[in-house]
Amino acid sequence: MLFEQEGSPQPPREVTAPLEIQSLLKNLQQARVPLEITFEGRSQTCQSFIVELDPVNGTLAIDEMIPNIGDKWAGQGEAFQVDAWLEGAHLRWHSEQAQRVLLADAPAFSTPLPPSLRYHQRRGAYRAAVQRSIDTRVELVHAKHQRQFAGELLDISATGCKARLPGNQLKGLQPGERYELSRLQLPDTPLFDINLEIRHREYQEATDTTHVGLRFHQPGAQVQRQIDRFVHFLQREARRQAREDLF
């Protein structure tokens, strides 16, 4: 079952936190997502990829462009717009300048990291199943009421997750309520604080467990980066297993 709001487009937001920007760009690089590059005043669209991300020096390097007329325009110092799509999200940012560089003897263009980018979740976030063999933990803790629950993840996306809790917890979990003092543990990370909102819950009589859909409420950039890394790890594992099943 999907979250109620994940199938609907969300309004675009302006991302300005440096860590969140770096995390999104890193995801584009790791997934080898093609970039659509449009120069101001020109109708030709070019394609490239992120080849290096250097937060220390505040730079981003992209590959040579296809068609190569884009290399000429970038070399002339023309400003351009970058569009990319990752798991249903549209990312857009602008670059005022690009400089030719050599990375491991391969030509590329280096630009300053964007101070902001537009993020538009146009469809539901990618939902990754979590195998029982993967050690996870979610603790639901209410800030005002003495209610606390603990369980494990069934699946997770960039915007929320589904958890399995022992017993029938329907009375204690009300859709729309926030458990502000909750904590989440992913593999190779300590428990971290997160604000969780109840989206839906369902009691599974056969296993005497309650499945609860949760939305991450305004997680910080560092927390979002940990979640994104785990989702992408699960996605890569799912793709690897799918390839192995072909042989």
Side-chain angles (χ1 to χ4, degrees):
M1 183 184 297
L2 296 177
F3 295 143
E4 296 171 15
Q5 294 183 344
E6 280 201 353
S8 304
Q10 302 297 310
R13 63 186 178 93
E14 199 73 14
V15 180
T16 57
L19 281 178
E20 187 175 2
I21 291 174
Q22 293 165 24
S23 176
L24 290 169
L25 295 176
K26 189 67 175 178
N27 290 340
L28 293 177
Q29 179 188 7
Q30 291 177 338
R32 190 70 176 167
V33 172
L35 310 178
E36 289 191 3
I37 297 176
T38 309
F39 290 84
E40 292 183 4
R42 301 187 184 276
S43 59
Q44 175 72 59
T45 298
C46 300
Q47 186 181 91
S48 184
F49 298 88
I50 296 175
V51 292
E52 184 179 85
L53 189 63
D54 187 352
V56 175
N57 295 310
T59 59
L60 171 74
I62 62 174
D63 202 355
E64 290 183 300
M65 301 181 202
I66 302 172
N68 60 13
I69 186 64
D71 296 345
K72 175 184 176 182
W73 295 334
Q76 294 172 172
E78 296 187 24
F80 54 86
Q81 172 182 288
V82 183
D83 290 273
W85 286 262
L86 178 68
E87 304 300 348
H90 179 195
L91 284 71
R92 171 178 290 174
W93 68 94
H94 292 82
S95 178
E96 296 299 326
Q97 58 180 333
Q99 181 180 359
R100 286 184 180 271
V101 294
L102 279 177
L103 299 177
D105 295 328
F109 287 93
S110 177
T111 72
L113 285 173
S116 66
L117 60 79
R118 182 175 178 267
Y119 180 92
H120 190 188
Q121 186 70 45
R122 303 184 66 87
R123 61 173 173 80
Y126 174 81
R127 178 66 62 83
V130 180
Q131 303 294 331
R132 283 204 169 196
S133 59
I134 299 177
D135 187 24
T136 62
R137 180 176 176 84
V138 58
E139 296 179 358
L140 298 170
V141 184
H142 202 285
K144 296 180 180 179
H145 306 297
Q146 292 185 345
R147 293 206 300 270
Q148 184 169 345
F149 308 90
E152 59 185 358
L153 293 181
L154 285 165
D155 58 39
I156 188 169
S157 75
T159 58
C161 62
K162 184 188 288 185
R164 180 195 294 112
L165 310 177
N168 186 341
Q169 310 296 347
L170 296 185
K171 290 184 179 180
L173 300 171
Q174 298 302 318
E177 267 196 311
R178 288 184 192 163
Y179 282 67
E180 299 94 335
L181 304 181
S182 298
R183 298 194 298 174
L184 184 63
Q185 184 169 27
L186 305 178
D188 302 321
T189 67
L191 277 166
F192 54 81
D193 297 332
I194 191 165
N195 189 338
L196 296 175
E197 179 182 335
I198 308 298
R199 300 304 299 160
H200 60 79
R201 71 277 193 279
E202 181 181 4
Y203 176 61
Q204 304 284 330
E205 186 174 358
T207 57
D208 189 29
T209 57
T210 299
H211 292 184
V212 54
L214 304 163
R215 182 172 72 91
F216 303 137
H217 184 72
Q218 297 180 344
Q222 183 68 25
V223 168
Q224 187 66 62
R225 183 164 61 175
Q226 289 179 309
I227 292 170
D228 289 344
R229 282 177 175 172
F230 184 48
V231 172
H232 282 280
F233 163 76
L234 294 173
Q235 186 178 14
R236 289 195 302 271
E237 284 297 293
R239 287 173 175 169
R240 181 184 62 81
Q241 292 176 11
R243 287 195 299 268
E244 289 179 352
D245 288 343
L246 294 176
F247 301 97

